[in-house]
Amino acid sequence: DNMSDLIHSNGVLVIHHLQKNYRDYLDFLNFMSSVGDPRNILSVYFPLWFQLSQIVGTKMIWVAVIGDWFNLIFKWILFGHRPYWWVQEALLHQNNSLPQLEQFPITCETGPGSPSGHAMGSSCVWYVMVTSALSFTRAHRDNSQNKLHRLTWSILWMAFWVIQVSVCISRVFIATHFPHQVVLGVFAGMLVAEAFEHIPAIQTASLKVYITTNLFLFFFALGFYLILKMIDIDLLWSVPKAKKWCANPEWIHFDTTPFAGLVRNLGALFGLGLAINSQMFLQSCRGKNGYKTSFKLMCIATTLTTLQFYDFIKIPTHTELLFYVLSFVKSAVVPLTVVALIPYCIHLLMGCSDKKLD
């Protein structure tokens, strides 16, 4: 229809303008795209925050997982095109004067484009970080610190918007998203994060709650997919478009498909549930060592280092089912490592060194 064509063709003009005039900022924009990548939540933000505050770390995983799940459902409902293929098809159908868009190694995402998962993931996690930092300063202030609190408030929210705008511009610049898709993503992410400010029950959730939530999210998404498939709506319609219009076949990554993200998230949530309800976690993080700064710093340093190596584990993509199972396991191992395994090992080491001193 004309309205959506107008929105899309204006979006293409914006992308072309960015690509033509801001080419020098390519490295910065690529970096901002990785700052917004939902996969970095697990390997960078979560290990840092979990040791600083278990409440914030736990909330972060819940918000990221539920946010990404909503993102998937919205993508399936909204059928959003991505600029790098839409512009090619528009150029085929009508001899209009739309510009050619350039593609980059991270352009060829295979899922539908609306709302942007990067924008949504980035805004929901940074929203959690900013509101948590502010509630922390709010809890420790008296009247003389009101000014300081207001200043902190302004600085943190300004930083929040600078990061969101940069992530959005980077996603638009590489022709992965139209401008309206990233804007939608940012506000949807903030809504999800705000909702979790009012659900304190996640902090005390039992393993049963984690497993039930996992099963619900999985079967709802699967059921939704199958029902639409029965009425002849193929939710994987975007994958052939990506394969057809991507400038370089090597840039198409199997792990950007809708189900890959779902499985990754369910793995992370399951791993967190296992870890938080484990004896290892209770003895280390909840024990007397858990309050020591030295213990926390050692945990942060060790987990961040360990998780860097973890990226070298590549999952074979030749069998779809095997890929999804291993993806689930790989994601579950991250919170287990961060929350239970490494803190427990450090707890044992500190115990040994304490005994030697005695």
Side-chain angles (χ1 to χ4, degrees), residues 65-78:
V65 168
I66 303 294
D68 216 41
W69 184 82
F70 272 118
N71 183 262
L72 173 71
I73 302 296
F74 281 140
K75 277 185 168 155
W76 281 349
I77 294 170
L78 295 174

Side-chain angles (χ1 to χ4, degrees), residues 49-50 53-61 128-129 132-133 203:
W49 274 93
F50 189 82
S53 159
Q54 285 158 20
I55 291 178
V56 181
T58 306
K59 191 195 293 177
M60 191 178 279
I61 295 277
V128 168
M129 292 198 262
S132 304
Q203 298 300 338

Side-chain angles (χ1 to χ4, degrees), residues 25 102 197 259 279 296 300:
Y25 298 99
E102 197 181 339
E197 298 288 315
F259 277 115
Q279 279 304 312
K296 291 182 175 187
I300 290 174

Side-chain angles (χ1 to χ4, degrees), residues 4 7 14-15 23 51 56 58 80 109 113 126 136 165 173 209 235 262 265 292-293 313 317 337 344 349:
S4 88
I7 293 173
V14 172
I15 297 165
R23 193 58 221 236
Q51 292 305 334
V56 181
T58 306
E109 301 247 341
W126 282 92
F136 190 72
V165 169
F173 175 88
V209 172
L235 290 178
L262 177 70
N265 285 317
K292 294 180 183 168
T293 312
I313 304 170
T317 53
T337 308
Y344 186 67
L349 281 173

Side-chain angles (χ1 to χ4, degrees), residues 1 28 37 44 70 72 76 87 114 144 161 229-230 324 337:
D1 64 331
F28 169 73
D37 192 331
V44 181
F70 272 118
L72 173 71
W76 281 349
V87 70
S114 189
S144 64
W161 283 111
K229 207 176 168 73
M230 274 158 59
Y324 288 138
T337 308

Side-chain angles (χ1 to χ4, degrees), residues 284-298:
S284 55
C285 296
R286 286 280 160 89
K288 60 180 193 322
N289 276 336
Y291 300 101
K292 294 180 183 168
T293 312
S294 56
F295 171 78
K296 291 182 175 187
L297 290 175
M298 279 165 76

Side-chain angles (χ1 to χ4, degrees), residues 39 68 71-72 75-76 82 108-112 235-236 238-240 242-243 252-265 317 320 323-324 327:
R39 282 168 288 196
D68 216 41
N71 183 262
L72 173 71
K75 277 185 168 155
W76 281 349
R82 290 188 185 268
C108 301
E109 301 247 341
T110 54
L235 290 178
L236 300 180
S238 56
V239 181
K243 286 181 175 161
I252 292 177
H253 297 297
F254 193 67
D255 62 355
T256 61
T257 55
F259 277 115
L262 177 70
V263 170
R264 247 197 330 264
N265 285 317
T317 53
E320 218 166 318
F323 172 79
Y324 288 138
S327 235

